[in-house]
């Protein structure tokens, strides 16, 4: 189960301009995306065009990144707005705030913003991005960068208020994003502080443009024009020049002085005093900007003051919400008045439906409101929360419930979200659990279980088991009679799933099998909970990818076998999921008829449930079995058939894996033609990813096979080394065995026999303890001959004992013989050759055993107490029965037929 598809249940938040008639139902992604954050606020009516800055827009694309770093109220957003207003500029914008701390949510906003200048980006990239990001964030970013780079049209990507982002994970990913930014995108970062990026190389290459307060500050001439023309103040130019000097050109400070003068302030700040550009001074200290804001505030009517204070608690507001908070019917009129008087009101959309206060003014109002005590503030948060909840904005409702310390309501709403929605992102609601008191969460068992799922990866195994034990005790003992029996049963059912999940996370495969068997033994009616467990990765081969198995057959058989045998009769997700894994084990063990039986059952259930994560692995297993049974064309048909069962979204995700498996089969049918086709396409993005999946590794192995066919040995060796290193680091056994076998084949083709045998020895050392068979047989005649050479060299002590059991090598050679007979390729004389049918007498069998060990006729004669001539007579009879021309030939025939 991963962070992306675990057990979270989510709700929607409809687009801001839409009617919210759907309540808490809908697309969970809309719950995460506020469209008002994808646009810069419209330029206020008191905006003054400053050509020296606005015309800089034309030069932006001469560099890669533009930074705007200056304190609040310095005009950063206004400058950005003037750039975006330019019709020749295509701009994607994200207005960030302190809630944007989740990395995936951050990139969701970036993707949705870029979709406005790269139409179709959300539809094309987002599904794949969501699937990759929880597993391998860098791979997801590569996908996004590659897709964005396909467009030739230049565009700005503006991230406003980047200082609000504090997560180091986001900064690290942004650093990578900046380093690989395509030429068609110019990044603009607006922040109160210098972002934590290493931009020295960009600066040295002239690819970084930086605007600070010094560039943003009003010049004397601009200040005079602003006061006289924009604010329409009847003052002399020298007075305005003095204000610019006092404020050091700080836009917000200049506006405060202008407003103070407009309302007839008796005194202004002395010219020797500078206005603070910070939101806060030291504790207990009031800045001069506070005094000016207070003066502006005090000039308002009592009615307006009350309106300002009571609406200051929200991040955004509209006339309806303002009416609720202020309890004033004239709220819409007051909003229009604030905007008309330039009183730090910022519209958030072009329709002027949503507003917010300027950050400086908002901070001042909240400090003023705090003087009235927390009780009134908490009451206002409750009013806002109820309004947001009723209007279908649950995320903001939760925020206000928590800010107002209404924790019971917050818990109620959070539980309601879980009750109505499944299949979402864990990070969406995790932050709410971080602030809700644990005792309140524990008082709601369903909510508490959701919380435990969220922290499962963080909590020690023993501690989680203890928590589950306590929760189960509460449900069984204390909640009996308080809840409906169906709810009690459901809670206990989920606890069993959670125990299985914890066992899985801790690679306790025995525990996993125990709990899944226990689940069905307790008679639960379905396994719906398991439909949302895809165990870290959606891969086409369970044996390779399942957490804690990683290609180890014995531990996989103990887990998959126990689960599959118990669930086999059920039409359930578990039956298909683990049935595929068990079928793969049986295939590798060369128990082909059993493997086909389980593969058929897994496919039957998958076709009923119609979940892509079940369908694809089941079809892939069937196709691999068809190839093993000598029917490659049927395997290709199966892989083509499954594509018709997948949705467009699912097909986009599974296409690379299905294509890799199809190429693997075609390499057996037409090696040269298929190899050329495979290598025409460049390597996929997975080869560049920080951590590749098993399917991506498989795709790379298919490419290596194509390189070997085309005798591109240098490239193949380099790729093999890379894959082998990854497989060893991650303890992936199947990939290690396959790498050793391919290296052995490649070295043999180049004439490096000793090195080839050494590589085969590594494969035997790795595969022997686990009983690998089909991986060897699938490589065909070349590996069979190498196994014979290896066996001979071991018997003659030409190579040292590497710990591989000779019986295992003989077992592999017998498997080759069975495979040849099964495919109908054996010659007439070899078709049914075994010890009995050959007709070797007991003495001939014993003598032949010594021949195979390399003993001479004299040595054998000593063993039996007979003459060397009698030994030679027996040997000639053996040769005649086997159709052999020499001792070596006889040994090869016997090993091929499994007689030794």
């Amino acid at each position: 189960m991963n962070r992306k598809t675990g057990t979270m249940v989510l709700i929607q938040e409809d687009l801001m301009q839409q009617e919210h008639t759907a309540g808490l139902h809908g697309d969970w992604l809309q719950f995460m995306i506020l469209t008002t954050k994808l646009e810069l606020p419209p330029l206020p009516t008191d905006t003054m065009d400053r050509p020296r800055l606005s015309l800089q827009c034309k030069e932006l694309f001469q560099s890669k990144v533009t930074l705007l770093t200056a304190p609040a109220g310095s005009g950063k957003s206004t400058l950005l707005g003037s750039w975006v207003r330019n019709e020749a500029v295509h701009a994607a914008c994200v207005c960030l705030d302190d809630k944007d701390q989740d990395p995936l949510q951050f990139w969701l906003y970036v993707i949705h913003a870029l979709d406005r200048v790269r139409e179709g980006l959300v539809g094309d990239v987002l599904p794949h991005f969501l699937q990759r990001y929880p597993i391998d964030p860098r791979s997801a970013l590569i996908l996004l960068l590659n897709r964005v780079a396909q467009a030739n049209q230049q565009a700005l990507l503006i991230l406003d208020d980047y200082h609000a982002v504090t997560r180091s994970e986001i900064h690290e990913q942004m650093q990578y994003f900046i380093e690989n930014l395509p030429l068609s995108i110019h990044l603009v970062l607006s922040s109160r502080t210098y972002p934590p990026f290493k931009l020295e190389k960009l600066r040295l290459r002239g690819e970084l443009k930086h605007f600070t307060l010094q560039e943003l500050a009003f010049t004397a001439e601009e200040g005079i024009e602003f006061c006289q023309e924009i604010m329409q103040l009847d003052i002399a130019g020298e007075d305005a020049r003095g204000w610019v000097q006092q404020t050091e050109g700080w836009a917000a400070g200049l506006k405060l002085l202008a407003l103070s003068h407009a309302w007839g302030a008796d005194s202004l700040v002395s010219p020797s005093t500078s206005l603070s550009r910070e939101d806060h001074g030291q504790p207990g200290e009031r800045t001069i900007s506070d005094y000016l804001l207070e003066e502006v505030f005090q000039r308002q009517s009592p009615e307006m003051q009350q309106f300002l204070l009571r609406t200051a608690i929200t991040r955004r507001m509209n006339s309806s919400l303002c009416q609720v908070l202020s309890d004033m019917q004239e709220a819409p009129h007051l909003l229009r008045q604030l905007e008309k008087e330039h009183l730090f009101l910022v519209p958030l959309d072009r329709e002027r439906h949503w507003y917010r206060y300027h950050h400086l003014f908002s901070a001042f109002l909240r400090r003023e409101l705090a003087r009235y005590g927390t009780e009134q503030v908490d009451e206002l948060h409750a009013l806002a929360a109820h309004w947001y909840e009723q209007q279908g904005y649950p995320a903001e409702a939760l925020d206000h419930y928590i800010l107002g310390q209404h924790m019971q309501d917050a818990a109620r709403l959070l539980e309601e979200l879980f009750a109505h929605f499944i299949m979402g992102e864990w990070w969406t609601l995790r932050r709410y659990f971080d602030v809700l008191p644990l005792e309140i969460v524990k008082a709601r068992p369903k909510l508490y279980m959701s919380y435990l799922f969220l922290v499962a990866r963080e909590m020690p195994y023993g501690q989680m088991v203890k928590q589950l034990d306590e929760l189960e005790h509460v449900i069984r003992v204390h909640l009996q009679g308080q809840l409906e029996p169906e709810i009690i049963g459901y809670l206990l059912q989920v606890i069993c799933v959670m125990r299985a999940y914890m066992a899985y996370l801790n690679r306790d495969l025995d525990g996993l099998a125990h709990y899944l068997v226990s689940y069905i033994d307790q008679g639960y009616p379905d396994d719906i909970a398991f439909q949302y467990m895809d165990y870290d990765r959606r891969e086409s081969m369970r044996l390779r990818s399942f957490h804690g198995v990683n290609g180890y057959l014995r531990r996989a058989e103990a887990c998959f076998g126990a689960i599959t045998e118990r669930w086999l009769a059920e039409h359930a997700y578990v039956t298909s999921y683990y049935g595929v894994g068990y079928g793969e084990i049986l295939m590798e063990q060369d128990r082909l008829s059993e493997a086909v039986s389980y593969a058929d059952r897994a496919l039957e259930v998958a076709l009923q449930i119609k979940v892509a994560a079940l369908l694809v692995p089941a079809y892939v297993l069937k196709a691999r079995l068809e190839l093993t049974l000598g029917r490659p064309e049927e395997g290709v048909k199966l892989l083509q058939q499954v594509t018709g069962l997948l949705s467009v979204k699912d097909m986009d995700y599974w296409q690379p894996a299905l294509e890799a498996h199809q190429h693997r089969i075609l390499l057996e049918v037409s090696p040269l033609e298929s190899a050329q086709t495979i290598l025409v396409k460049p390597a996929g993005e997975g080869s560049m990813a920080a951590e590749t999946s098993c399917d991506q590794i498989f795709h790379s192995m298919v490419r290596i096979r194509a390189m070997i066919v085309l005798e591109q040995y240098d490239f193949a060796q380099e790729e093999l080394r890379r894959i082998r290193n990854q497989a060893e680091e991650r303890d992936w056994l199947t990939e290690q065995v396959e790498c050793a076998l391919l290296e052995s084949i490649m070295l043999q083709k180049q004439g490096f026999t000793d090195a080839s045998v050494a590589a085969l020895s590594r494969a035997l050392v790795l595969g022997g303890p686990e009983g690998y068979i089909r991986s060897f047989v699938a490589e065909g005649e070349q590996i069979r001959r190498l196994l014979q050479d290896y066996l001979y060299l071991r018997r003659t002590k030409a190579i040292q004992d590497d710990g591989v059991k000779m019986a295992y090598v003989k077992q592999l050679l017998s498997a080759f013989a069975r495979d040849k007979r099964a495919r109908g390729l054996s010659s007439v004389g070899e078709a049914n050759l075994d010890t009995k049918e050959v007709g070797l007498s007991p003495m001939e069998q014993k003598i032949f055993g010594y021949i195979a060990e390399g003993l001479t006729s004299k040595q054998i004669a000593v063993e039996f107490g007979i003459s060397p001539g009698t030994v030679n007579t027996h040997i000639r009879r053996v040769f005649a029965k086997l159709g052999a021309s020499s001792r070596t030939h006889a040994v090869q025939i016997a090993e091929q037929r499994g007689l030794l």
Side-chain angles (χ1 to χ4, degrees):
M1 186 187 306
N2 62 24
R3 289 161 40 169
K4 176 176 67 65
T5 59
T7 56
M8 291 298 294
V9 280
L10 296 179
I11 63 175
Q12 76 160 13
E13 174 160 323
D14 283 336
L15 297 176
M16 294 306 165
Q17 287 78 11
Q18 295 177 350
E19 292 295 325
H20 296 267
T21 56
L24 300 181
H25 298 276
D27 181 2
W28 65 265
L29 263 180
Q30 292 181 349
F31 171 75
M32 298 304 302
I33 302 299
L34 292 173
T35 56
T36 50
K37 294 178 63 172
L38 298 178
E39 293 184 17
L40 288 171
L43 291 175
T45 55
D46 59 358
T47 300
M48 185 183 80
D49 182 35
R50 294 192 282 169
R52 67 179 178 88
L53 293 176
S54 59
L55 293 179
Q56 290 285 334
C57 181
K58 298 179 180 179
E59 302 178 8
L60 290 179
F61 289 99
Q62 296 177 8
S63 59
K64 190 174 186 178
V65 176
T66 294
L67 284 182
L68 278 69
T69 56
S74 300
K76 300 185 296 297
S77 296
T78 302
L79 176 57
L80 293 176
S82 71
W83 289 346
V84 171
R85 186 172 56 182
N86 189 325
E87 294 181 358
V89 173
H90 299 276
C93 308
V94 182
C95 298
L96 300 163
D97 57 47
D98 55 11
K99 291 173 63 178
D100 297 315
Q101 304 305 326
D102 184 272
L104 182 49
Q105 184 183 13
F106 174 89
W107 290 109
L108 286 179
Y109 269 111
V110 171
I111 292 172
H112 278 77
L114 287 171
D115 184 67
R116 298 190 168 199
V117 294
R118 297 286 188 268
E119 188 174 352
L121 193 69
V122 167
D124 294 346
V125 170
L126 190 57
H128 309 293
F129 191 91
L130 288 172
Q131 290 158 352
R132 291 190 186 191
Y133 188 89
I135 302 168
D136 183 1
R138 179 162 293 186
S139 172
L141 291 180
I142 290 172
L143 175 73
L144 174 60
L145 287 164
N146 286 345
R147 175 61 175 81
V148 171
Q150 292 174 5
N152 296 322
Q153 182 187 62
Q154 291 185 323
L156 297 179
L157 172 58
I158 298 173
L159 301 182
D160 195 17
D161 286 339
Y162 189 83
H163 59 269
V165 177
T166 59
R167 282 285 295 274
S168 59
E169 188 177 352
I170 296 178
H171 297 323
E172 292 167 3
Q173 292 172 12
M174 272 297 297
Q175 179 81 54
Y176 181 81
F177 187 79
I178 291 172
E179 291 170 356
N180 296 279
L181 200 64
L183 295 176
S184 59
I185 295 293
H186 179 85
L187 178 65
V188 181
L189 287 172
S190 172
S191 175
R192 296 181 191 174
T193 58
Y194 196 91
F197 303 139
K198 298 176 181 178
L199 302 175
E200 290 77 9
K201 290 183 180 179
L202 291 179
R203 192 185 302 276
L204 291 173
R205 293 198 297 260
E207 296 180 346
L208 176 68
K209 184 180 288 291
H210 191 186
F211 292 86
T212 64
L213 178 63
Q214 185 175 356
E215 288 78 26
L216 294 173
F218 276 82
T219 65
E221 290 71 20
E222 289 170 344
I224 294 171
E225 182 182 351
F226 176 77
C227 293
Q228 294 179 342
E229 302 298 330
I230 304 300
M231 298 301 291
Q232 296 184 345
L233 299 179
D234 185 16
I235 62 170
E238 284 305 311
D239 291 335
R241 189 184 300 274
W243 291 359
V244 172
Q245 291 176 349
Q246 283 181 266
T247 60
E248 298 179 2
W250 178 42
L254 185 60
K255 184 173 180 178
L256 281 168
L257 285 174
L259 286 171
S260 177
H261 178 84
W263 283 317
D266 295 332
S267 62
L268 296 174
V269 181
S270 66
S272 61
T273 307
S274 295
L275 291 176
S276 168
R277 304 185 192 95
E278 302 298 329
D279 287 352
H280 299 282
Q282 297 299 319
E285 176 186 341
R286 301 197 69 199
T287 64
I288 295 176
S289 60
D290 282 340
Y291 283 111
L292 288 173
L293 285 167
E294 182 175 2
E295 184 174 332
V296 170
F297 177 73
Q298 293 298 336
R299 295 279 176 177
Q300 307 306 310
S301 67
E303 179 187 51
M304 180 63 84
Q305 289 182 19
Q306 180 182 348
F307 177 86
L308 290 169
L309 291 175
R310 293 180 67 88
T311 56
I313 63 163
T314 63
R315 295 177 183 271
R316 63 184 189 125
M317 55 194 175
N318 60 21
S319 58
S320 174
L321 176 57
C322 288
Q323 282 181 322
V324 170
L325 291 175
S326 66
D327 194 23
M328 297 178 182
Q329 291 299 316
E330 60 271 25
H333 168 72
L334 295 176
L335 271 177
R336 289 192 295 271
Q337 182 180 336
L338 287 174
E339 186 174 15
K340 183 179 179 180
E341 294 180 358
H342 314 310
L343 239 181
F344 296 97
L345 187 69
V346 180
L348 295 178
D349 51 28
R350 292 184 177 88
E351 294 77 16
R352 282 172 160 72
H353 179 66
W354 290 101
Y355 294 87
R356 68 168 172 84
Y357 293 120
H358 189 281
H359 297 309
L360 285 174
F361 197 38
S362 176
F364 165 79
L365 291 175
R366 290 178 186 180
R367 290 195 295 272
E368 289 295 308
L369 180 62
R371 297 182 182 182
Y372 292 86
T374 58
E375 185 175 345
Q376 182 174 349
V377 174
D378 291 348
E379 179 186 346
L380 289 170
H381 280 298
L383 290 172
H386 286 306
W387 185 88
Y388 277 120
E389 185 176 355
Q390 291 168 1
Q391 298 299 316
Y393 300 114
E396 288 162 293
L398 276 168
D399 286 339
H400 282 287
Y401 279 134
I402 291 171
L403 288 170
Q405 299 301 307
H406 303 284
M407 297 304 182
Q408 293 291 352
D409 280 313
R412 171 191 56 76
L413 180 55
L414 199 55
E415 187 174 57
E416 187 175 330
L417 305 185
F418 279 98
H420 287 83
F421 297 86
I422 45 182
M423 281 301 287
E425 303 296 335
W426 74 274
W427 38 264
T428 307
L429 300 175
R430 170 60 194 271
R431 59 191 178 92
Y432 298 117
F433 281 111
D434 290 338
V435 294
L436 280 175
L438 190 57
E439 61 270 16
I440 292 179
V441 175
K442 281 187 172 183
R444 296 175 176 268
K446 290 170 66 176
L447 188 61
Y448 185 43
M449 281 194 291
S450 301
Y451 165 75
L452 290 178
F453 263 116
L454 288 177
V455 300
R457 289 181 178 271
E458 306 162 13
M459 190 177 292
Y461 193 15
Q463 184 179 346
M464 176 61 80
V465 170
K466 182 180 178 182
Q467 297 282 349
L468 291 174
D469 289 343
E470 292 176 357
L471 180 57
E472 185 169 353
H473 177 76
V474 168
I475 293 170
R476 291 187 182 277
V477 176
H478 299 290
L479 295 183
Q480 292 292 339
Q482 299 183 33
L483 297 176
E484 295 293 329
E486 303 82 49
I487 297 179
I488 294 287
Y490 171 76
L491 295 176
L492 294 175
Q493 180 181 355
V494 175
I495 285 179
C496 190
V497 175
M498 291 176 68
R499 292 187 188 279
Y501 177 37
M502 287 305 300
Y504 160 73
L505 285 181
N506 289 273
R507 303 195 177 198
D508 178 9
L509 297 176
D510 292 336
L512 174 63
H514 168 77
Y515 289 120
L516 292 190
V517 170
S518 174
Y519 182 92
I520 193 172
D521 284 344
Q522 294 178 55
Y524 291 129
D526 56 52
D527 71 325
I528 188 171
F530 297 100
Q531 295 187 31
Y532 311 107
M533 288 186 174
D534 58 9
Y535 300 99
D536 270 335
R537 293 180 173 88
R538 293 199 293 170
E539 302 276 6
S540 65
M541 295 171 286
R542 306 272 187 250
L543 180 60
R544 295 181 182 226
S545 60
F546 193 82
H547 188 64
V549 170
N550 296 356
Y552 285 84
L553 299 184
R554 301 193 187 284
R555 66 175 76 155
E557 185 171 16
C559 179
F560 293 174
I563 296 169
T564 304
E565 291 294 342
R566 184 63 184 87
W567 282 81
L568 192 63
E570 303 295 323
H571 290 280
Y573 188 96
V574 171
T575 306
S576 181
Y577 189 99
Y578 292 97
V580 168
Y582 193 41
E584 290 175 355
I585 296 166
L586 294 170
M587 184 176 72
E588 185 59 52
Q589 293 173 337
D590 208 31
R591 297 158 60 184
L592 298 184
S593 60
E594 295 174 81
V596 169
S597 175
Y598 283 99
D600 287 343
R601 177 59 176 156
L603 181 56
E604 177 188 4
V605 174
L607 286 169
Q608 292 173 343
I609 297 178
K610 297 180 181 178
V611 174
L614 298 182
L615 283 168
V616 173
Y619 268 96
V620 165
L621 175 57
K622 286 287 294 179
R624 293 172 65 201
L625 282 167
E626 291 295 341
L627 173 63
T628 297
L629 295 170
R631 300 190 292 264
E633 294 81 4
E634 294 301 316
V636 172
K637 288 180 182 178
L638 285 167
L639 295 176
Q640 293 171 342
Q641 183 179 341
V642 71
T643 62
L645 301 176
L646 302 181
S647 67
V648 174
K649 177 180 177 181
D650 285 329
M651 191 58 204
D652 286 343
Y653 178 83
W654 288 105
Q655 177 64 35
L658 290 170
E659 186 178 80
H661 284 287
Q662 185 168 329
H663 283 153
R664 175 68 184 92
I665 294 175
L666 293 176
L667 276 172
E668 299 295 323
V669 178
S670 52
L672 188 61
E673 180 183 352
S674 297
Q676 292 172 337
T677 300
I678 291 167
L679 296 182
V680 164
K681 294 178 65 175
E685 295 154 4
S687 61
M688 299 182 286
E691 180 177 318
T692 50
S693 69
C694 288
D695 277 344
Q696 289 167 334
I697 290 283
F698 180 81
H699 179 265
S700 297
M701 297 298 286
V702 172
R703 289 181 60 82
I704 291 170
R705 291 177 182 277
M707 294 174 188
I708 293 174
V709 169
L710 298 178
E711 300 182 359
Q712 299 177 8
Y713 298 131
D714 290 342
F715 294 115
Q717 185 64 50
E718 182 181 348
E719 273 295 281
L720 270 176
R721 187 180 300 110
R722 182 180 70 84
I723 298 299
R724 184 174 64 244
N725 289 340
Q726 286 198 37
E728 289 173 352
E729 289 172 4
R730 299 162 72 177
D731 194 26
W732 283 356
L733 184 61
T734 307
E735 286 76 6
Q736 293 182 62
V737 172
E738 189 175 0
C739 282
L741 288 171
L742 289 182
E743 187 174 6
S744 178
I745 290 172
M746 184 170 62
L747 291 168
Q748 178 67 16
K749 285 179 176 289
Q750 297 177 85
F752 303 125
T753 304
D754 291 345
S756 175
V757 172
L760 177 65
S761 173
R762 288 199 302 275
L764 293 168
V765 170
L766 291 165
E770 295 295 319
Y772 269 75
I773 296 178
R774 286 310 305 183
S775 288
F776 288 82
V777 176
E779 301 303 341
E781 183 67 13
Q782 194 169 356
I783 287 295
R784 186 190 68 79
R785 291 197 301 268
L786 284 167
L787 283 169
Q788 290 176 336
D789 293 342
Y790 172 85
L791 191 62
Y792 177 77
L793 292 170
R794 279 286 304 276
R795 284 210 172 100
T796 59
K797 297 181 172 47
I799 57 175
Q800 67 181 48
D801 186 346
D802 51 12
V804 175
K805 294 181 180 180
M806 302 296 278
Y808 174 53
V809 183
K810 295 175 184 178
Q811 183 184 15
L812 290 174
L813 287 167
S814 295
F816 273 98
R818 288 194 304 273
D819 184 69
K820 193 170 184 179
R821 289 197 297 272
R823 291 169 180 261
L825 301 178
S826 300
S827 66
V828 175
E830 296 174 334
N832 297 303
L833 189 60
D834 59 31
T835 305
K836 182 177 180 180
E837 291 174 345
V838 168
L840 296 182
S841 68
M843 175 60 78
E844 289 168 348
Q845 291 179 43
K846 293 179 180 177
I847 288 176
F848 188 65
Y850 284 117
I851 292 174
E853 292 178 9
L855 272 66
T856 65
S857 295
K858 289 183 179 181
Q859 291 171 326
I860 295 172
V862 171
E863 290 290 332
F864 287 101
I866 57 179
S867 69
T870 303
V871 171
N872 288 332
T873 299
H874 285 299
I875 291 174
R876 284 193 294 273
R877 290 174 181 170
V878 170
F879 286 1
K881 293 178 179 180
L882 292 177
S885 58
S886 66
R887 292 190 178 204
T888 301
H889 189 201
V891 170
Q892 289 176 342
I893 292 174
E895 288 175 342
Q896 180 181 347
R897 296 300 164 213
L899 303 181
L900 294 176

